[in-house]
Amino acid sequence: MPPTLRSSTSSVWPSNPLHLTRARGGNMLLNPLLLGGLMALTGAITAWTSRNFPTMPGQDYGAGTFPMLIGIMLAVLGTLLALRGMRQREPLFAWHGAVSASRVWLCLAAVCASVAIYALVTPILGFAIVVPVIIALLIAWLSQGRWLLAVMTALISSLLVWLIFSELLHVPLPLGVLEEVVY
């Protein structure tokens, strides 16, 4: 076993600055400190970059409004997640068994295929049909068959995205076959 996978409590490796551990199971877990820090950094960069986007004539908001809001939300929520990770005092990484390269490539291919399917099928079937199905299938597959979690997450997240874009931002999402029903 490589030394980076030794337990942080092992007497063989007394100094372990990354707190790397090896656990039981079949996945790799990240401490919320890492993910939260990455989210906060991404949000800060997004907000900083969008501050100079031009405003719309006669209005107080413009092209930078939405990226600025998303950046601020990412920075705040990422910071909260990072603070939670700091309080947990758990290892930054925990490997649960071996993660094969084929599984990684299969997951990457599934996400890329989902994006391609979305781009090709959404104009025909519409956002309200395609997105919940794609999200539910991906979550069910990645969570090893937890269909209730997958369907609930897919429906709630799709509804939230629909409401944000269509109602709040007034950006129409493709209706597809539902266009005849709505209009």
Side-chain angles (χ1 to χ4, degrees), residues 104-155:
V104 172
W105 285 110
L106 189 59
C107 290
L108 182 61
V111 171
C112 292
S114 298
V115 172
I117 290 169
Y118 173 83
L120 295 171
V121 179
T122 300
I124 300 164
L125 295 179
F127 179 90
I129 295 173
V130 174
V131 170
V133 170
I134 289 175
I135 293 174
L137 289 174
L138 276 176
I139 292 174
W141 179 60
L142 292 172
S143 67
Q144 299 160 346
R146 295 175 62 190
W147 282 100
L148 181 61
L149 169 73
V151 170
M152 294 304 294
T153 304
L155 291 175

Side-chain angles (χ1 to χ4, degrees), residues 34-60:
L34 291 176
L35 187 57
L38 182 62
M39 284 175 54
L41 180 64
T42 302
I45 291 170
T46 302
W48 179 263
T49 304
S50 64
R51 77 190 194 300
N52 291 328
F53 287 178
T55 58
M56 297 172 67
Q59 296 184 2
D60 292 333

Side-chain angles (χ1 to χ4, degrees), residues 2 4 23 53 69 83 89 134 142 151 161 167-168 177-178 181:
T4 56
F53 287 178
L69 290 173
L83 291 173
R89 298 200 183 277
I134 289 175
L142 292 172
V151 170
V161 169
E167 299 299 320
L168 182 63
V177 295
L178 297 178
V181 176

